[in-house]
């Protein structure tokens, strides 16, 4: 038991003196020390309720014989950070979260950890920390937001993003835009669609690090509080049995996660986070395996932004386990994998029923016979890039267009808003990668502007940055190598013809290799956009997007 070094024996007297200063009793000091990592703050809607989740976890831990101790993790709201300098910090906080959690856990000799995240970077950041520390750990999120409603139509945060462009074009009034912004996010919780936060919370269940319902029980439901109590109790069982994250997060568990990722149609950001978590587990996860898994995995769910269903509907239909049960009919899951419940995947999903075949299509009648995400390669992305296939209009799956090139998000957005982007164009936004951004900003504003102008079925967007899970349309991100390190995306000129073939997993600029080499001789690296502080240090050591944007 790790905490004995600060609780027992003559040598631990100084540490005990400090623990008594916290108000701890001798009785408490006889119990295992369970760290509860709380991402609660008052600026992120998905985290404003985490104080209640944490209190429930503490009660569960205490009921099961542990001594619960809370310490914090930071959290950025991607939506609030969107479209300005703040978005450069979003992905970069993932490493801060992992590093600071490691520091706190090691410095204070916790015996086990309960991670309480909710939004985009906290879930993968804490999964990375759990894998790195490899002490008994379990997750419980704050839960998804309920969808909003306007005139009987369900809406969410992404509706507002696209409504801004619709207002600019005169399609809707300012009053209607005001109604959307007031009603789109009606409760606390992670935004209501299958965006990045909910994607990662759902995949935490599949990886085996969270109990049933973690990804789908709405934040405002009392069932979420009960789940938190059970999670607090369950960590004591994991501690007693010495079940650790790397016992659970095996290579086979990651194959399960990518498989269900394809079935659910999760955010493209999972292709950044899963490799980063696997790296902390001690092995490399090549994202190109996603195509192989996709080829055999049907896409069963079209949740917002790919369709019109919301996470609350997925929960009512049976949740993640119901999707796993459907996919298991095809024998695609490693069902002998251990999970944090103490049971195997097979035992977990036994008896789980698909209660709504519109929300979760049966494997016999999927939305598509192939998965929701595709990895593309070609001379524009020699290492790879990623697209949410399930959110692309069928007529756009094979596309050829003329490049309109921009060296930052702001310039591209200005051009879209000035109606300079026309059907048949491919918007290329570069120098927004992990190093070049720095921080690999999300491009929700440009993609929303394209969709809001009715160009979603006639314009593509390609970037070495990334996308919000709320993005839909022909949006291709994580282009690797990125422009800042001399990737071919840096050599594209206005007017170059870009050819995209998602079914064949190809993306190419119709420019000869000889011409690319001529352009390369003239190319000069750009000066760093940020020369001080954390992002300056981050840019120096971050890997490419296809490697998970990890710190090397």
């Amino acid at each position: 038991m790790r905490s004995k070094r600060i609780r027992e024996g003559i040598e631990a007297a100084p540490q005990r003196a400090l623990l008594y200063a916290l108000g701890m009793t001798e009785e408490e000091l006889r119990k295992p020390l369970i760290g509860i990592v709380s991402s609660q703050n008052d600026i992120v809607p998905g985290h404003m309720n985490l104080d209640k989740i944490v209190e429930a976890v503490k009660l569960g831990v205490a009921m099961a014989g542990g001594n619960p101790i809370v310490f914090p993790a930071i959290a950025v709201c991607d939506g609030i950070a969107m479209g300005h300098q703040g978005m450069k910090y979003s992905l970069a906080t993932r490493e801060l979260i992992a590093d600071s959690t490691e520091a706190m856990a090691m410095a204070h000799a916790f015996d086990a950890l309960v991670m309480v995240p909710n939004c985009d970077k906290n879930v993968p950041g804490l999964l990375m920390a759990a894998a790195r520390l490899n002490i008994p750990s379990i997750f419980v999120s704050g839960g998804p937001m309920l969808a909003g409603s306007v005139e009987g139509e369900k809406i969410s945060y992404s509706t507002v993003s696209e409504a801004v462009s619709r207002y600019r074009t005169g399609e809707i009034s300012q009053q209607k835009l005001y109604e959307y912004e007031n009603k789109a996010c009606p409760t606390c919780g992670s935004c209501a669609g299958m965006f990045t936060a909910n994607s990662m919370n759902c995949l935490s269940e599949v990886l085996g690090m969270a109990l049933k319902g973690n990804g789908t029980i709405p934040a405002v439901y009392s069932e979420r509080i009960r789940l938190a109590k059970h999670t607090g109790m369950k960590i004591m069982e994991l501690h007693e049995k010495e079940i650790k994250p790397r016992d659970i997060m095996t290579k086979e568990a990651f194959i399960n996660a990518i498989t269900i990722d394809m079935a659910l149609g999760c955010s493209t950001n999972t292709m950044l986070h899963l490799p980063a978590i696997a790296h902390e587990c001690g092995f490399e996860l090549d994202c190109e395996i996603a195509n192989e898994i996709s080829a055999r995995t049907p896409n069963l769910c079209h949740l917002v932004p790919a369709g019109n269903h919301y996470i609350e509907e997925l929960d009512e239909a049976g949740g993640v386990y119901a999707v796993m049960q459907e996919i298991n009919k095809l024998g695609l899951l490693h069902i002998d994998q251990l999970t944090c419940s103490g049971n195997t995947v097979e035992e977990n999903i036994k008896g789980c029923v698909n209660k709504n075949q519109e929300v979760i299509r049966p494997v016999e009648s999927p939305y598509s016979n192939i998965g929701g995400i595709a990895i593309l390669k070609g001379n524009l992305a020699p290492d790879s890039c990623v697209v949410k296939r399930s959110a692309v209009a069928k007529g756009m799956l094979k596309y050829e267009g003329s490049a309109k090139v921009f060296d930052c998000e702001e310039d591209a957005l200005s051009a879209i808003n000035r109606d300079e982007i026309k059907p048949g164009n491919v918007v290329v936004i570069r120098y927004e990668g992990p190093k070049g951004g720095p921080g690999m900003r999300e491009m929700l504003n440009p993609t929303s502007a394209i969709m809001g102008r009715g160009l979603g079925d006639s314009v593509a967007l390609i970037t070495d940055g990334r996308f919000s899970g709320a993005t839909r349309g022909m949006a291709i991100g994580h282009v690797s190598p990125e422009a800042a390190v001399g990737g071919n995306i840096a050599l594209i000129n206005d007017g170059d013809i870009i050819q995209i073939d998602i079914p064949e997993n190809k993306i190419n600029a119709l420019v000869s290799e000889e011409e690319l080499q001529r352009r390369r001789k003239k190319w000069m690296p750009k000066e760093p956009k940020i020369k001080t502080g954390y992002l300056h240090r981050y840019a120096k050591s971050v890997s490419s997007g296809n490697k998970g944007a990890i710190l090397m």
Side-chain angles (χ1 to χ4, degrees):
M1 192 179 296
R2 286 163 43 85
S3 68
K4 284 185 177 180
R5 70 190 70 172
I6 64 171
R7 295 189 293 110
E8 297 182 4
I10 296 299
E11 295 80 4
Q15 284 94 340
R16 285 197 298 273
L18 293 168
L19 294 172
Y20 288 142
L22 293 171
M24 287 189 192
T25 65
E26 290 184 11
E27 291 81 1
E28 286 174 297
L29 289 181
R30 296 190 193 110
K31 298 176 180 179
L33 204 60
I34 310 300
I36 302 173
V37 188
S38 172
S39 300
Q40 194 276 334
N41 64 41
D42 293 341
I43 189 63
V44 184
H47 291 217
M48 62 183 285
N49 67 318
L50 293 190
D51 54 346
K52 295 179 176 59
I53 303 299
V54 166
E55 286 303 313
V57 170
K58 287 175 66 178
L59 184 56
V61 168
M63 285 192 295
N67 184 7
I69 305 294
V70 179
F71 65 89
I74 63 169
V76 164
C77 177
D78 279 25
I80 295 173
M82 193 73 66
H84 61 92
Q85 189 83 342
M87 180 46 71
K88 294 178 182 291
Y89 286 87
S90 172
L91 180 61
T93 64
R94 188 187 68 183
E95 320 311 309
L96 289 174
I97 292 161
D99 290 350
S100 60
T101 301
E102 174 197 355
M104 287 293 289
M106 294 300 292
H108 301 102
F110 287 107
D111 295 304
L113 297 173
V114 181
M115 311 293 198
V116 188
N118 207 30
C119 289
D120 291 22
K121 308 308 168 295
N122 296 80
V123 186
L126 290 177
L127 282 165
M128 290 166 67
R132 187 185 303 172
L133 290 162
N134 203 34
I135 62 176
S137 302
I138 193 170
F139 281 65
V140 59
S141 76
M145 187 182 290
L146 295 178
S149 179
V150 169
E151 297 175 357
E153 175 192 1
K154 285 187 175 182
I155 63 171
S156 69
Y157 169 78
S158 60
T159 312
V160 186
S161 295
E162 293 183 14
V164 171
S165 187
R166 294 172 63 199
Y167 166 70
R168 288 181 183 276
T169 62
E171 183 182 340
I172 62 171
S173 66
Q174 186 172 356
Q175 183 178 358
K176 177 59 71 175
L177 176 60
Y178 182 74
E179 185 176 13
Y180 280 143
E181 72 176 78
N182 274 274
K183 295 182 176 179
C185 300
T187 73
C188 61
S190 47
C191 294
M194 188 52 83
F195 310 145
T196 305
N198 292 328
S199 294
M200 290 307 302
N201 282 323
C202 287
L203 294 186
S204 295
E205 286 188 54
V206 186
L207 281 170
M209 290 298 292
L211 298 177
K212 179 183 179 183
N214 178 69
T216 59
I217 298 170
V220 294
Y221 284 12
S222 297
E223 186 181 359
R224 174 66 54 178
I225 301 296
R226 297 197 295 273
L227 175 66
K229 291 177 182 177
H230 284 133
T231 300
M233 289 185 263
K234 184 60 68 173
I235 191 59
M236 297 310 300
E237 180 182 330
L238 296 175
H239 167 65
E240 290 160 12
K241 294 181 178 179
E242 296 187 357
I243 297 174
K244 300 174 182 178
R246 292 186 204 170
D247 299 326
I248 294 170
M249 290 193 287
T250 63
K251 289 183 180 180
E252 290 76 15
F254 280 89
I255 298 301
N256 284 349
I258 296 176
T259 300
I260 299 303
D261 189 337
M262 295 299 165
L264 284 170
C266 292
S267 164
T268 52
N269 282 311
T270 61
M271 294 295 105
L272 281 173
H273 299 322
L274 290 175
I277 299 161
H279 178 76
E280 296 291 352
C281 288
F283 55 87
E284 301 308 307
L285 185 68
D286 188 341
C287 273
E288 287 188 55
I289 197 174
N291 286 339
E292 177 186 332
I293 294 171
S294 177
R296 62 177 183 253
T297 307
N299 178 222
L300 305 185
C301 299
H302 267 195
L303 298 154
V304 170
N308 298 314
H309 298 299
Y310 288 84
I311 299 295
E312 64 201 67
E313 296 171 76
L314 177 61
D315 187 62
E316 292 164 3
V320 174
Y321 279 17
V323 177
M324 294 175 74
Q325 184 71 289
E326 280 290 341
I327 290 297
N328 192 46
K329 293 177 183 177
L330 301 175
L332 298 180
L333 295 179
H334 295 277
I335 59 176
D336 58 346
Q337 290 298 293
L338 180 66
T339 72
C340 67
S341 69
N343 298 323
T344 63
V345 169
E346 181 177 24
E347 291 168 325
N348 283 346
I349 66 176
K350 184 178 180 180
C352 293
V353 176
N354 181 356
K355 300 174 183 177
N356 187 332
Q357 297 190 354
E358 289 299 313
V359 177
I360 305 171
R361 290 278 186 90
V363 291
E364 296 82 8
S365 56
Y367 283 102
S368 168
N369 289 320
I370 52 180
I373 290 177
I375 306 297
L376 313 181
K377 292 184 76 171
N379 69 355
L380 188 55
D383 289 342
S384 72
C385 57
V386 62
V387 63
K388 189 168 184 174
R389 183 205 319 257
S390 60
V392 176
K394 288 184 179 179
M396 290 282 286
L397 291 174
K398 290 190 176 185
Y399 181 80
E400 190 173 293
S402 174
K404 290 279 192 177
V405 182
F406 306 93
D407 286 352
C408 66
E409 175 190 4
E410 289 82 358
D411 289 351
L413 185 60
S414 294
I416 296 167
N417 288 335
R418 292 193 302 267
D419 290 325
E420 294 176 7
I421 305 303
K422 305 298 182 184
N425 284 157
V426 177
V427 177
V428 177
I429 306 177
R430 61 194 181 189
Y431 296 100
E432 290 285 7
K435 289 182 179 293
M440 206 177 187
R441 285 195 288 181
E442 292 182 347
M443 301 292 148
L444 179 61
N445 284 353
T447 55
S448 293
I450 288 170
M451 298 303 296
R453 277 173 161 67
L455 297 172
D457 59 357
S458 60
V459 168
L461 189 149
I462 299 170
T463 182
D464 52 9
R466 61 192 180 93
F467 296 107
S468 164
T471 289
R472 62 192 179 105
M474 176 66 91
I476 298 170
H478 311 186
V479 169
S480 301
E482 63 176 289
V485 298
N488 284 351
I489 190 173
L491 310 179
I492 301 303
N493 291 337
D494 281 345
D496 286 346
I497 301 302
I498 308 296
Q499 195 173 71
I500 303 163
D501 190 333
I502 294 177
E504 294 296 323
N505 305 113
K506 294 179 180 179
I507 181 167
N508 286 291
L510 300 187
V511 179
S512 70
E513 184 60 31
E514 292 75 18
E515 175 60 21
L516 287 175
Q517 289 304 322
R518 280 193 290 271
R519 294 179 188 182
R520 183 171 300 283
K521 290 177 181 178
K522 298 178 181 179
W523 177 79
M524 294 289 291
K526 288 185 177 291
E527 280 289 309
K529 295 176 184 176
I530 295 178
K531 299 181 180 181
T532 60
Y534 174 56
L535 284 182
H536 179 63
R537 299 195 303 274
Y538 178 87
K540 285 184 175 181
S541 57
V542 69
S543 75
S544 64
N546 71 306
K547 298 295 185 182
I550 59 174
L551 296 185
M552 305 300 287

